[in-house]
Amino acid sequence: MVMSSTWVGPAWCVALGIEMKKLTFVVAMLAGALMLMAQSARAQEGFRLFRGDPELIIPSIGVGLATTGAYFAVRNAGGGGHRITQLGAWGLTTVGCMALTPIVSGIVVQRELTRREAHVMIADCIVPFVGGWIMHAYFDAHPERDSVPPQAIKVARKHR
């Protein structure tokens, strides 16, 4: 029996090769995103992976991990004619992340978030790491848009 030159081996070897290519691509994208976030122009401040309030890191990561878990749970939910597609699961959990991250972070820090903080969190839900980097660049270019709305003034009512 003559072996064909197109034979590549058992199916698990082929699947492993495809998975390794995907993994290598993801690692390369993450390395590229981290390189873009390096702040060589701000060398006097030292390198910081996360800009802003350090108390916002844990809630952002926590909500991100929770919505990632929800994505895999919804995507792999079996049975019936009500199955959600992968794109539907991604959209559902992305919108959930965009809604929950500012809410949970505001509760944790016990204050109103600045516009920069909220927009960075929302952009990080859409495109992790790179979205926040783009929003930081936007607010650095337009510092007048980065503000906290003024405090509401309580006015006492006169009784008649």
Side-chain angles (χ1 to χ4, degrees):
M1 177 181 202
V2 176
M3 297 293 280
S4 171
S5 63
T6 59
W7 187 77
V8 290
W12 64 270
C13 288
V14 174
L16 183 62
I18 291 172
E19 290 299 318
M20 288 301 292
K21 287 179 184 177
K22 288 180 182 178
L23 180 64
T24 304
F25 177 73
V26 168
V27 169
M29 291 298 292
L30 286 174
L34 289 173
M35 296 247 335
L36 288 174
M37 291 186 336
Q39 302 170 3
S40 59
R42 298 170 186 249
Q44 72 275 11
E45 296 176 9
F47 176 74
R48 292 187 353 174
L49 186 59
F50 298 102
R51 290 173 56 186
D53 191 354
E55 290 183 1
L56 297 175
I57 296 170
I58 299 299
S60 297
I61 292 173
V63 172
L65 289 174
T67 54
T68 301
Y71 165 76
F72 286 113
V74 169
R75 185 189 76 172
N76 295 329
H82 302 291
R83 186 176 173 112
I84 296 178
T85 64
Q86 287 185 0
L87 184 61
W90 176 81
L92 183 67
T93 55
T94 299
V95 170
C97 177
M98 291 166 56
L100 285 176
T101 305
I103 294 171
V104 172
S105 298
I107 292 170
V108 168
V109 296
Q110 293 292 311
R111 64 172 172 81
E112 189 172 357
L113 301 176
T114 64
R115 289 186 180 130
R116 177 188 293 251
E117 291 168 342
H119 283 87
V120 165
M121 288 177 197
I122 290 170
D124 274 337
C125 287
I126 298 170
V127 183
F129 301 109
V130 177
W133 175 72
I134 291 171
M135 291 312 301
H136 277 302
Y138 172 78
F139 280 109
D140 287 343
H142 302 283
E144 72 277 1
R145 296 184 182 165
D146 183 20
S147 63
V148 176
Q151 293 283 336
I153 300 172
K154 294 182 179 180
V155 178
R157 294 181 149 207
K158 291 184 178 181
H159 294 288
R160 294 183 179 183

